[in-house]
Each structure stands twice: as C-alpha cells, then as structure tokens.
Amino acid sequence: MAEPTIEALRQAFLDHESRILCDWSPKLASFQDRNPNNVRHAWISSLTLGGTLGNSAESLALEFHSGLNVIVGGRGSGKSSVVAALRQLYSNTNGLPHRLKDDAEDFSQTVFKDATLEAQHRLQESQTEQNARWTLGTGSQTTIDGQRVPTSFTATVVSQKELFERAAGDKSDPELTSRSLLSMVDSGLGQPYSWSQAWGVPAVPATTVSQSFEELVEDARAHWTSQRRGLHRLTADLHQLPALLAQVAVLEEQVAAFSAPEVKARLANIELRGSEKAKLEEERKSIEGGIAQINSVMRRFAGRGLATDAMPALSEEFTPVATGLDEISSDMVGYLMRIEGELRARLEKFDVTTAQSPWQALVNGAELDLEMYKHELETKGLSPSEFSRLQDELTRTRETVATLQASGEKLVEESSRCAQSWEALLNLYDLRRGARMALLDNVASRSGRLQFTNAPAQDTNPWIAFLRTTAGIRENGYVPDVQELAQWLWKGPEAGLGDRLAAWQSFLTTKEVKPFAELTGLKPVFLSRLTTVDESARYRIAAELPEDVTTMAFLREGGKAERPEDWQPVVQGSPGQRTAAMLAFVLHHGKEPLVLDQPEDDLDSEWIFKLVVKELRQSRWHRQLIVVSHNANIPVLGDAEQVIALENRGGTLAIRCTQERLADGTLVSIPHVGPVESPHVRRDIQAIMEGGVAAFVLREQKYNNETRAHRAT
C-alpha cells in the first residue's frame, strides 16, 4: 500500500493475491532475501520533459514506482510524449518497422526539437542512481564520475502499433515477422562477451567488452577474406608449375644446342680473355685518373706563395717566415712534376710491353675467335643474343619453379588456416543462434503459451538485396537468375549446404563459369556477369550469410501444450491473436524496464483480462512496467502500484491535481498519482476509462442477472 489507510487495507484484502505474501508462500523463494519489497531490478525513478516543448507551454515532471505504473489521460494529455521521451533516453528507433520509425522520428523532430529530456534511473542489483540527459544535438548521455558518456542503460519501449506491425507479416516478404522478432531478441541478448554467463552458450572468442556481434563478424569476415585471397593466389600459382617444368625442359634443350662440350670450352676461353681485358682496362683507367689528380694538385700550387701574392706589404718579421713556407710549396710542385712525368713514362712503357706480351696474343686470338663464332651462328640462322636470352630465361624460370615448389609445401597449411577462419565465422553465428534460442526457450517456459522454432540461414530476401547492391545489378536485372541462385544455394538439402557454399565461394574466387554452371544449372550469361564484379566485392559476397528464420507459435485458447495441433503460427492468427502473442513475448522477454503504449488495442477485454492483466501482475515483482492505457482492467485489475493521471491544461501538459483545504485551513494541491486506493486516482479511472460512475453502475444494473450469479458462485 502507498499509505496505511483503511481503504488501502480494504484493497489489500480485496486483492490479496496481488498484495499479500505470507511467510510460507513459495513465491518468496524468487525474491532476494525472501523479501518482495527489496528491489534489485533496474528501474527508472523519474522523468522530466523540459526545455522548449512543441506541445506544452511548460515542462512536465513525473516520478515512477519500481513496479507497475499506469499512465492515464484524455487525448492530447501528453501520454505519447512520455513514451517518446523514454524512447529517446533509453531506447532507439532503429529496430522499428519503417513506417513506425518514420512516425517516431517525425514526432521527435516536432515535439522535442528544442527540448531537454532528463531522467533518473537505478542500476540492477547495486541500485546506484544515475542521471540521463537527451537533446536533439547530443543524443542520450549519462553522467558517470562527473563525465558525460553515451547512455548504456536500456529500456524496452513498445507500442501496440509496433506489436501489430511486427506480427502482421507481408505477402511479398514472408520472413518479415521473423526479422522483426529477431531484432527484438537481439536487443535483449546483450554484448557477445556476456552470452556465456547469461545464456549458457560457449564463450565467444577473446574480444573486448565493447565489441558487438556485428563488429566481431566483420573482423572474422575480413580475416577469412584475407586468408582466402592468399590461398587462391597460391593455388593459381601452383597451377602453373607443370607448364613451367615443361618450359624448363625445353629451354634446357635449346641452351644445350648452343652449348656442346667443344663450344662450351671455346666460349669459356672467349669469356675468360674478355673478362681479363675488361679488368685490365678498368685498372689502367683508375691509375690514369690518379696521375690526373697529381697534375691537378701540381697546377693548384704552381706559381703561388705568401711572399709573392699581391697583398699589402709584409712586415719585416713575417717576410722570412712566409718565404720559408713558399719554398716548401715550390719544392712540392717540383716533386709532383717529376713524379707525374715518371708515371706517365712507365705507363707508356707498360702499354708497349703489354701489346707485345703472350697474354695480348691470347686476347687477340679470343676476339678473333668470337667474330668467327658469330659468323658461324649467322650462317646457321642463329643469333648470339638468342643464346644469352635463353640462358637468362632458363635461370628465371628455374628460380620461379624453385619458389613455387617451396610454396607447394605450404598449401596444406594455408588451406587449413583458411578453413579455420571460415569455421570461426560460422562459429560466431552458431553462438548467437544458441544465445537466441536460449532466450526464446526462457520466454517460452515463462509464458507457457508460446513456442519457437528456428531454421538456420533461410531468410534469403535480404541476402538477395545484398547481392544485387554489392554486385551492382539493377533492380529488374537477372530477377529469376538471382532467385534460382538463392534457391539452389540456401534452400537445398541441409546436408549438402557445406558443399554448395564451397562451390559458390570457389566460383567467386576463380571466376570459372563452366563447372559452376554445370553444377547449378544457372545460365552462363548470368554467372559471367558476376565474374565482372570487383575482386573485393566478390569476396565480400562470398562471406555473406542469410539470417535465420524464427517462427513463433501460440497455444490456442483451451489448447493443450502437448498437442502439436493446438499450436498455431502467429502469422496465421487474427490481428488480435497476433498482437496477443507478440505482447506475451514482450512481457516475458528481458528484465529491463518495459514501456507499453496502449497494449490493449486490437485485443478484446477478455484477452486483456486473461493475458495482459495476468502478465502484468506477475512481471511487476521482478521488472518495472510503465503502461499507457485506456482500459480500466489494466490499472484496476492489474492493481498498479502507481497510476498517473495526465491532462492538457490550456496548452500545458500536467498531472491532474485537486485543490483541498486541510483542517487548519491551508489550501494544498493534491496530485492524482498513486495506487487504486487513492480516491482521486479512482475517480480519474472511473471518469476517463469507465465513462463515469453513473455509466458503470448502469452497466452493472443491466448485467444484474450475471453479476448476482457470479457473486453467488
């Protein structure tokens, strides 16, 4: 109870299942320290719509209870603004169906363009209070240790329209419902690093806490692409090895034709003498250069001296000193002149001696023999340069063969690494699939009336769209071909999926059309079009996998869970049944605060009582619920801890208030906020939701026979 009053006690005993837990109740085991009043779940404690609002002259401030909160009010009273504000602070519009996403963003632009939204929330377990603040320019930020960081505290915000859109399906896109369901599931999975602890699946590969599933997958794709590209190039190179070995044999035969033993000896002698002559000439040029340097030094010092240079008159003391140094310079010039002359004479003598030496005769003979050899080749129609080219080509080809043979030893290792990187990518999808199914199994267990099945990699429409975009195929181009490819690749027998995927990736890597066309029956012209796609795009396409298709079924009213025929797929249900099933999913999915905007729409009152009210009464003990409703069953039979009545007071959004005079004459304003035992709250529920007390009593009178029978029972 909010306060210990007689009315609160009456309400407690009237609805004891909601308000009273005896110390022997088995329900206490689900509460920490067996204390239902010990709040440990995360919850939002207050909300302020401030700044300049597009639909209110003043700000609006609300405080929430940690359990069930119900917001009531007439049209234009600000209920939608409260829901939109909580979405901006603690959720986003990314996962909404397109139409609702556009509507939500338009509302935010119109109403919150110049607004400042603030809220306080408490963290799970520790109950640490934090402050979140949102503006259109900054987005939602939370103050932590004096620093503003992006808000990580989350709340699930769901409207009835969203529930219907997510469950409605689409004839042109049969997997839309699955996609919508999985987007809600993924929002409740948390970061991959926590999946092992939260959902009991194997731990994800070592990563940082901040990495999302998408980031992990992108890293894995990039790693596999790099490995696959390297493996393809290595394989392509090794395919050349047989041809290169044959080429080596041909070149060796051609070189051998030029290199008979007697020819080899003859050419070796020519090469030796030519090499010796080149070395001798190089050394002689070096010596001649040294003599030229001596001449250069001699010329630099010739005719100069301190005593002879044109300069101011020398002092008597300096003249003899300068003259002594000039004598040394003059002697050096003389010495260098004599040395230069001697060296040039010796060099001339060397040239004469060398020209008459036996070695020079051998060199002359080798040069003459070379000319004769060239003439002999020319008479046979061969070129001396051809021999050199063949030798160079043979050397290069042998080196290439040696390199490829060494690489061939790495082929098995590289193939294994590539396979491991692909397995790592598939493992990420398997881990997420396991986490998803663990969450869905938990929802199914808690609800008792929902059932989920999963078909891996069957949502092909987004995959087809990705293929078209990445390959640059226009919207109306190759339509049946793309569909046939998706059907062959993803819709075939599950046992052969690995082989089909390997063939698809091989085709994109090698661009070999014929074998893939024969395997698949696809048109070669379509496959040839895919081979024109940029290499990086082809590898990216090869690494893309379709999403799973998850089907939700609900237990028909009065059905038995053990009877398969009593379960009906949600897409086959009526609008009300679809909404009810999605609502049941939302109510049992996650532990973060849940904001529901008019969940009763599309549901008749019987469904509201049997489903919505029942689930709200159970969930509020372990989860905060903030519900906007027009149906009295929700706040009254749901026994809300707090009802907030809003109104539009002359263009200002506000909480309804009543002026009352206390016993001492003081006039106070009583806000219409509190549980059902609050008389102001009850009157608001009666007026807004029941049509007033008179209408309620009149209905009761008309139902007199049934109500008397019910009381008697």
Side-chain angles (χ1 to χ4, degrees):
M1 63 186 71
E3 295 179 358
T5 64
I6 296 298
E7 178 59 23
L9 286 171
R10 189 181 79 86
Q11 292 287 347
F13 285 109
L14 185 65
D15 194 358
H16 58 87
E17 291 181 352
S18 171
R19 300 203 183 193
I20 299 173
L21 287 178
C22 299
D23 58 4
W24 61 80
S25 172
K27 293 182 179 180
L28 290 176
S30 64
F31 299 101
Q32 186 171 358
D33 301 328
R34 294 174 56 82
N35 182 2
N37 297 311
N38 185 9
V39 178
R40 308 309 300 170
H41 57 258
W43 60 290
I44 302 166
S45 56
S46 66
L47 170 68
T48 300
L49 281 63
T52 302
L53 298 171
N55 60 349
S56 179
E58 297 180 12
S59 61
L60 174 66
L62 307 176
E63 292 189 359
F64 298 115
H65 191 277
S66 60
L68 174 59
N69 302 264
V70 179
I71 301 174
V72 301
R75 287 185 176 276
S77 59
K79 303 186 299 298
S80 296
S81 297
V82 172
V83 173
L86 291 171
R87 189 188 296 277
Q88 296 296 339
L89 282 160
Y90 296 119
S91 185
N92 57 64
T93 61
N94 295 337
L96 288 174
H98 292 300
R99 185 175 62 82
L100 298 183
K101 183 176 186 293
D102 293 340
D103 291 345
E105 292 176 351
D106 288 344
F107 183 93
S108 177
Q109 285 282 349
T110 303
V111 178
F112 298 148
K113 180 180 179 182
D114 299 310
T116 299
L117 310 177
E118 292 193 71
Q120 283 70 45
H121 56 263
R122 294 182 181 272
L123 302 182
Q124 185 172 337
E125 298 300 335
S126 69
Q127 295 297 292
T128 301
E129 188 174 62
Q130 293 180 338
N131 177 273
R133 185 174 183 272
W134 178 94
T135 66
L136 190 60
T138 64
S140 183
Q141 297 181 328
T142 297
T143 303
I144 300 177
D145 296 331
Q147 300 290 324
R148 285 205 167 274
V149 299
T151 299
S152 58
F153 185 95
T154 59
T156 298
V157 182
V158 181
S159 68
Q160 178 278 332
K161 291 181 180 179
E162 180 181 347
L163 293 175
F164 179 77
E165 288 281 345
R166 289 185 181 278
D170 189 331
K171 291 182 179 179
S172 63
D173 189 359
E175 315 306 347
L176 179 62
T177 300
S178 169
R179 220 169 296 133
S180 296
L181 177 65
L182 289 178
S183 71
M184 297 180 70
V185 170
D186 290 345
S187 68
L189 286 183
Q191 295 291 70
Y193 80 94
S194 67
W195 290 353
S196 176
Q197 181 177 0
W199 304 109
V201 300
V204 297
T207 180
T208 60
V209 169
S210 62
Q211 276 192 291
S212 65
F213 174 78
E214 289 72 20
E215 290 170 332
L216 288 171
V217 167
E218 194 56 40
D219 289 346
R221 280 198 190 106
H223 183 63
W224 175 80
T225 297
S226 175
Q227 293 279 350
R228 181 76 186 204
R229 183 180 285 111
L231 178 62
H232 168 63
R233 290 175 179 171
L234 177 59
T235 304
D237 288 342
L238 289 174
H239 283 164
Q240 302 176 30
L241 189 57
L244 289 173
L245 288 171
Q247 185 178 354
V248 166
V250 172
L251 289 172
E252 286 176 342
E253 291 179 2
Q254 291 175 328
V255 169
F258 282 94
S259 305
E262 61 276 10
V263 175
K264 287 183 178 180
R266 184 179 179 186
L267 293 176
N269 179 66
I270 293 172
E271 184 178 357
L272 174 63
R273 300 310 173 188
S275 174
E276 290 175 343
K277 180 180 179 181
K279 291 179 180 178
L280 190 71
E281 289 177 347
E282 182 180 0
E283 186 63 20
R284 188 186 180 288
K285 286 182 180 179
S286 180
I287 293 173
E288 201 168 42
I291 296 173
Q293 289 180 4
I294 293 174
N295 181 269
S296 176
V297 173
M298 178 185 69
R299 290 179 180 277
R300 183 150 54 91
F301 285 92
R304 58 176 286 184
L306 289 174
T308 59
D309 286 347
M311 60 181 295
L314 302 177
S315 67
E316 293 182 5
E317 295 79 8
F318 182 68
T319 299
V321 175
T323 301
L325 192 59
D326 287 346
E327 291 176 355
I328 295 173
S329 176
S330 178
D331 291 345
M332 181 180 66
V333 171
Y335 294 153
L336 292 176
M337 188 178 296
R338 288 195 298 273
I339 291 172
E340 182 192 15
E342 290 177 5
L343 291 175
R344 289 193 182 280
R346 291 180 62 185
L347 197 58
E348 291 175 0
K349 183 178 180 181
F350 170 80
D351 289 342
V352 173
T353 304
T354 301
Q356 299 173 354
S357 67
W359 173 81
Q360 185 62 51
L362 293 174
V363 170
N364 294 339
E367 290 176 345
L368 180 61
D369 192 27
L370 178 59
E371 293 301 319
M372 292 175 62
Y373 179 66
K374 289 180 179 180
H375 180 70
E376 292 171 4
L377 291 177
E378 289 173 358
T379 58
K380 297 178 181 180
L382 299 175
S383 169
S385 60
E386 184 70 10
F387 176 67
S388 300
R389 186 193 67 77
L390 289 172
Q391 281 188 314
D392 292 342
E393 186 177 352
L394 177 60
T395 300
R396 289 194 304 270
T397 307
R398 282 173 173 168
E399 291 173 352
T400 302
V401 167
T403 302
L404 290 178
Q405 288 174 332
S407 299
E409 299 174 0
K410 300 179 181 178
L411 182 61
V412 175
E413 181 182 351
E414 291 298 319
S415 298
S416 176
R417 287 179 179 176
C418 187
Q420 289 173 2
S421 64
W422 182 250
E423 284 299 319
L425 177 60
L426 294 180
N427 186 52
L428 285 173
Y429 281 93
D430 287 340
L431 290 173
R432 184 180 64 168
R433 187 173 294 120
R436 282 173 168 178
M437 292 311 298
L439 184 151
L440 292 173
D441 288 345
N442 180 263
V443 170
S445 175
R446 288 166 59 184
S447 72
R449 57 190 312 274
L450 295 178
Q451 190 179 75
F452 302 92
T453 56
N454 190 70
Q458 292 297 293
D459 189 3
T460 55
N461 275 1
W463 182 86
I464 288 173
F466 175 83
L467 171 64
R468 287 186 170 280
T469 301
T470 309
I473 300 174
R474 66 184 186 277
E475 186 176 355
N476 60 347
Y478 300 103
V479 173
D481 303 281
V482 175
Q483 292 287 350
E484 288 173 17
L485 170 62
Q487 185 72 22
W488 174 83
L489 181 56
W490 304 113
K491 302 293 187 178
E494 185 176 352
L497 176 60
D499 292 337
R500 296 194 302 274
L501 188 54
W504 166 241
Q505 292 174 341
S506 176
F507 161 67
L508 291 173
T509 302
T510 63
K511 302 197 295 184
E512 295 179 359
V513 172
K514 185 176 180 180
F516 192 65
E518 292 175 350
L519 175 66
T520 62
L522 294 170
K523 296 176 182 176
V525 66
F526 165 61
L527 299 179
S528 297
R529 169 62 178 83
L530 293 179
T531 64
T532 65
V533 177
D534 175 75
E535 181 188 52
S536 60
R538 283 187 283 108
Y539 277 99
R540 180 61 186 85
I541 292 170
E544 183 68 11
L545 299 173
E547 261 287 8
D548 294 357
V549 171
T550 298
T551 303
M552 179 169 68
F554 62 91
L555 188 63
R556 290 189 178 94
E557 185 67 22
K560 296 182 179 180
E562 63 272 15
R563 288 166 51 91
E565 60 270 24
D566 287 345
W567 291 94
Q568 181 173 341
V570 68
V571 294
Q572 298 176 8
S574 66
Q577 289 173 321
R578 294 179 183 184
T579 301
M582 288 300 296
L583 182 59
F585 171 80
V586 168
L587 288 169
H588 291 95
H589 162 50
K591 297 180 180 179
E592 69 279 0
L594 174 61
V595 181
L596 294 173
D597 186 8
Q598 299 177 211
E600 70 275 7
D601 288 4
D602 282 334
L603 298 177
D604 55 42
S605 293
E606 184 179 13
W607 271 101
I608 294 169
F609 176 69
K610 290 182 177 180
L611 172 66
V612 181
V613 169
K614 176 184 176 182
E615 300 299 347
L616 293 178
R617 288 169 68 94
Q618 293 179 354
S619 298
R620 65 180 182 163
W621 291 104
H622 304 285
R623 183 183 196 179
Q624 184 187 41
L625 301 156
I626 301 174
V627 184
V628 172
S629 178
H630 292 130
N631 190 293
N633 288 306
I634 290 179
V636 178
L637 301 185
D639 201 25
E641 279 86 358
Q642 181 162 272
V643 177
I644 303 173
L646 298 180
E647 67 178 353
N648 191 321
R649 196 180 302 153
T652 297
L653 304 181
I655 297 174
R656 284 193 174 199
C657 293
T658 297
Q659 301 293 322
E660 292 187 359
R661 196 172 298 278
L662 302 180
D664 60 2
T666 304
L667 190 66
V668 296
S669 180
I670 307 298
H672 294 196
V673 176
V676 177
E677 59 258 29
S678 167
H680 299 296
V681 167
R682 267 204 320 281
R683 281 196 290 270
D684 284 335
I685 293 173
Q686 293 161 4
I688 297 171
M689 299 176 161
E690 302 281 12
V693 175
F696 182 81
V697 171
L698 183 59
R699 286 200 303 275
E700 195 274 339
Q701 290 173 348
K702 288 181 176 290
Y703 299 149
N704 184 53
N705 292 337
E706 289 81 8
T707 55
R708 278 192 304 168
H710 181 75
R711 289 193 183 100
T713 301

